[in-house]
Amino acid sequence: MPANFGKFNAATLSWIGMPVLSGILLGISFPSYPVVRLEILAWIGLVPLLLSLKRDEPFGQAYRKVWFSMLIFSVVSLWWVSLATLPGGILTVIAESFFLTVPFLPFLLVKRKRGYRFALFSLPFFWTAWEWAYMEQDLSLGWLTLGNSQANLTGMIQYADITGVWGISFWLLLFNVLAALFWLERKAVPMPRRSLSILLLLIAAPFFYGWKVFSGEASHDSRSGSVRVTLVQPNIDPFSKWQLFTGQEMMDSYYRLTGRAVFRDAPDLVIWPETAIPFFILDTVNSGYLQSLRFTLREWRVSLLSGFSDIVYYHPDSERARSGEVKFDSSSGRHFETFNASMLLTADAADPQVYRKNRLVPFAERVPYVEYFPWLDRFTVSLAGISSWGRGSDTPSMEFDSRRNGKVKTANIICYESIFPGLVTGFVRNGAQFLTLVTNDGWYSTSYGPYQHAAIAKLRCIENRRAMARCANTGITGFIDRYGRVYAEIPWWEERTLTADVPLYSDLSLYTRFPDMLPRAAALVSVVLAGVALFGRERG
């Protein structure tokens, strides 16, 4: 046996085995099926990778280790995207793997200038600042924000009402850093009690805050009444509904399901899922459908919140018509733009309240920066019935009448938007007393993608201390309270309705009032740390 065989194995493990282990641990720590609860693995998921980066090695070699680890992380967490579109799934995984390496670039540079320990304690700031900055631009997918891994661990993440998901990410990074240092110093004499004590404190503090929140739940409940809501889960295959059903057939299906629930449960509000009405019902050519819907709502005496496809026409001389985003129909000679939208239609109102989706899935719903480079539109990865949507620009609250509490304000989040913390706080600051989410996760079959998406919604409830009514085409449909706990749910892939009372709140959490406080502070500290590393005295 060669003398250097042991060294070869150690080097191979450092270069391949430990980064792969980190990628797997991080990937399986993210929410999946309900019976799988591995979120605690995120607490140590980065440790193998961090340990492998301790050795002195060329920048390129270290970066390749990081990228390989993040690629494994992305594959394990996001493979299910390929069930909707194989090219889109591959693009998503590859793009995410590179974006996840960004915080390690300053880490590796700082390590070279100031040493391994300095770089380790800088990483939580670099990572948190980058996650936030990444979410602010159009190219962001943002799904793998590290704090999302803890979405089902509601007993430990109640402090998100102060820090948002950014605080959870920072906590995870700090815990991983200290765990790595504890491992390196475990054989020291005396034993590294300081690191162990801090690790135990990092576990105890979130538990204590959660205990404090839940123990005071009854005595500090600030609800201002409740509203009765019916969710309709039609269980329609999203790949076929755009081609195989006529507009009337789609509407009749919803009328049948909703009618039974309305007369049985007497709700104030009915919710249909994302693009439940897959045609331009507000266009004048479809006025008959709209009038029929109005008549039905008056008969039911309820308000309806529904996803639908919206279209807006522009005068040819308008500035909007001359932009690169607007399409032109040569047959009618009109400029137009289509939107993935939702509307709240009340029984007595003349016009529906309309919200147009702000954050669109990159390439599947809208190509990033197409407003500046119109030719990019050709790179859209089209799904059935979905391609090149326009982008909304505001976060309005919607108002309807309830039997017990008069006027009630809600906010609608459309599908993918639920992963954007800042967007949701905008709705709440605009007066929303509870949240609604309409989505269509049927693209992802029976993978754990829909469960992962549903789990992330819990974070938005905790951050803003708002209950949520979540309506999905094929599941997961249900109700979540302001602490992230699901209190009523429909199994996926079933045609069902669900009715429950949703509590209303008007108070604002600290996070809702100052959503960017922590990541901005992390960004500032990151700049200071980078400055110290670049311009301070180098390590000896």
Side-chain angles (χ1 to χ4, degrees):
M1 182 179 293
N4 64 350
F5 181 77
K7 292 183 179 180
F8 174 78
N9 278 349
T12 302
L13 180 63
S14 177
W15 202 97
I16 298 176
M18 295 178 77
V20 168
L21 179 58
S22 273
I24 293 172
L25 290 175
L26 291 173
I28 64 178
S29 72
F30 265 65
S32 59
Y33 298 108
V35 296
V36 180
R37 297 296 302 273
L38 301 174
E39 53 265 39
I40 194 173
L41 295 179
W43 301 9
I44 56 168
L46 278 167
V47 171
L49 176 61
L50 294 177
L51 294 176
S52 76
L53 294 173
K54 184 178 186 298
R55 59 183 296 184
D56 289 326
E57 57 192 340
F59 182 90
Q61 182 174 326
Y63 178 79
R64 286 191 294 273
K65 284 198 301 189
V66 170
W67 173 76
F68 192 55
S69 183
M70 296 301 105
L71 178 64
I72 299 298
F73 175 20
S74 300
V75 169
V76 174
S77 300
L78 295 176
W79 65 269
W80 47 267
V81 177
S82 63
L83 297 176
T85 161
L86 182 59
I90 294 172
L91 177 64
T92 295
V93 166
I94 293 175
E96 274 297 284
S97 67
F98 280 108
F99 283 124
L100 286 167
T101 66
V102 172
F104 287 96
L105 297 177
F107 169 86
L108 294 174
L109 293 172
V110 167
K111 176 195 165 193
R112 176 171 297 182
K113 290 282 188 178
R114 301 289 295 184
Y116 180 68
R117 291 179 68 94
F118 190 96
L120 275 183
F121 283 107
S122 300
L123 184 59
F125 298 97
F126 294 154
W127 187 293
T128 306
W130 168 246
E131 279 191 339
W132 169 72
Y134 174 46
M135 293 282 274
E136 294 298 305
Q137 46 86 30
D138 286 351
L139 197 57
S140 166
L141 178 67
W143 199 276
L144 297 187
T145 297
L146 194 59
N148 288 347
S149 66
Q150 307 298 290
N152 284 323
L153 200 61
T154 52
M156 277 197 70
I157 59 172
Q158 293 300 314
Y159 64 95
D161 68 345
I162 300 173
T163 68
V165 70
W166 316 119
I168 303 173
S169 289
F170 187 88
W171 183 93
L172 288 170
L173 264 294
L174 184 59
F175 195 94
N176 274 272
V177 165
L178 290 168
L181 287 174
F182 179 76
W183 179 261
L184 289 171
E185 300 168 353
R186 69 192 185 282
K187 295 180 180 180
V189 180
M191 186 179 178
R193 295 179 180 176
R194 180 185 299 177
S195 298
L196 180 60
S197 299
I198 297 175
L199 284 172
L200 293 175
L201 179 62
L202 284 175
I203 295 173
F207 266 121
F208 176 76
Y209 187 82
W211 170 81
K212 187 173 182 296
V213 167
F214 289 126
S215 63
E217 178 181 352
S219 58
H220 297 97
D221 193 348
S222 59
R223 76 178 65 192
S224 52
S226 63
V227 63
R228 196 157 181 79
V229 178
T230 292
L231 307 177
V232 178
Q233 181 173 293
N235 197 37
I236 298 172
D237 181 358
F239 289 99
S240 62
K241 81 171 186 178
W242 302 83
Q243 289 86 22
L244 300 183
F245 298 96
T246 66
Q248 191 59 55
E249 287 172 335
M250 292 294 299
M251 298 302 290
D252 287 344
S253 174
Y254 281 102
Y255 289 152
R256 172 179 55 83
L257 282 170
T258 307
R260 290 201 299 259
V262 164
F263 291 116
R264 181 184 65 239
D265 302 321
D268 300 301
L269 177 69
V270 170
I271 303 179
W272 293 351
E274 181 185 18
T275 60
I277 305 173
F279 57 90
F280 306 126
I281 192 171
L282 299 187
D283 196 357
T284 53
V285 298
N286 292 313
S287 59
Y289 289 109
L290 182 60
Q291 293 307 314
S292 174
L293 180 57
R294 289 183 188 281
F295 176 80
T296 303
L297 293 179
R298 283 195 293 269
E299 185 179 68
W300 288 341
R301 298 177 62 192
V302 298
S303 298
L304 171 71
L305 174 62
S306 176
F308 77 111
S309 300
D310 193 21
I311 189 167
V312 176
Y313 295 102
Y314 300 102
H315 190 278
D317 296 330
S318 67
E319 182 178 346
R320 189 64 182 162
R322 294 193 295 270
S323 72
E325 300 174 79
V326 173
K327 300 176 180 65
F328 178 70
D329 180 11
S330 57
S331 61
S332 65
R334 292 194 292 183
H335 295 81
F336 69 96
E337 193 171 11
T338 57
F339 298 88
N340 186 350
S342 61
M343 66 175 176
L344 196 152
L345 189 61
T346 60
D348 55 353
D351 298 314
Q353 302 165 62
V354 175
Y355 168 68
R356 300 182 179 100
K357 191 174 181 181
N358 279 210
R359 300 303 299 253
L360 299 153
V361 181
F363 297 99
E365 292 185 314
R366 177 186 174 86
V367 177
Y369 310 115
V370 69
E371 63 271 29
Y372 304 113
F373 308 103
W375 52 271
L376 287 174
D377 192 53
R378 70 187 69 172
F379 295 107
T380 300
V381 180
S382 179
L383 293 174
I386 296 178
S387 178
S388 299
W389 296 111
R391 180 174 58 187
S393 58
D394 56 355
T395 53
S397 60
M398 297 174 169
E399 190 174 79
F400 65 95
D401 286 312
S402 68
R403 292 176 175 83
R404 288 173 288 182
N405 293 283
K407 297 289 184 183
V408 172
K409 289 186 176 181
T410 187
N412 187 233
I413 307 156
I414 302 178
C415 190
Y416 166 73
E417 291 185 316
S418 64
I419 71 170
F420 293 92
L423 177 73
V424 178
T425 63
F427 287 116
V428 178
R429 288 196 303 272
N430 284 334
Q433 296 169 282
F434 74 103
L435 302 172
T436 67
L437 190 154
V438 295
T439 187
N440 181 9
D441 295 334
W443 310 106
Y444 310 112
S445 186
T446 55
S447 72
Y448 52 69
Y451 283 107
Q452 204 171 88
H453 189 199
I456 292 172
K458 299 177 182 180
L459 285 165
R460 306 292 86 85
C461 295
I462 297 170
E463 288 168 341
N464 298 282
R465 292 303 183 202
R466 290 292 186 273
M468 177 185 288
R470 186 182 194 273
C471 185
N473 173 37
T474 54
I476 312 298
T477 292
F479 294 92
I480 308 171
D481 72 10
R482 70 195 308 233
Y483 304 103
R485 300 172 301 194
V486 176
Y487 62 94
E489 189 174 83
I490 301 176
W492 65 350
W493 298 97
E494 290 188 17
E495 182 186 273
R496 292 265 296 274
T497 63
L498 180 67
T499 301
D501 289 333
V502 180
L504 306 174
Y505 299 94
S506 298
D507 54 324
L508 300 182
S509 69
L510 181 64
Y511 175 74
T512 304
R513 285 179 282 161
F514 306 104
D516 298 333
M517 179 174 59
L518 178 62
R520 285 182 184 274
L524 179 60
V525 174
S526 297
V527 171
V528 172
L529 291 170
V532 170
L534 291 174
F535 302 110
R537 186 176 63 182
E538 294 193 23
R539 58 175 176 165

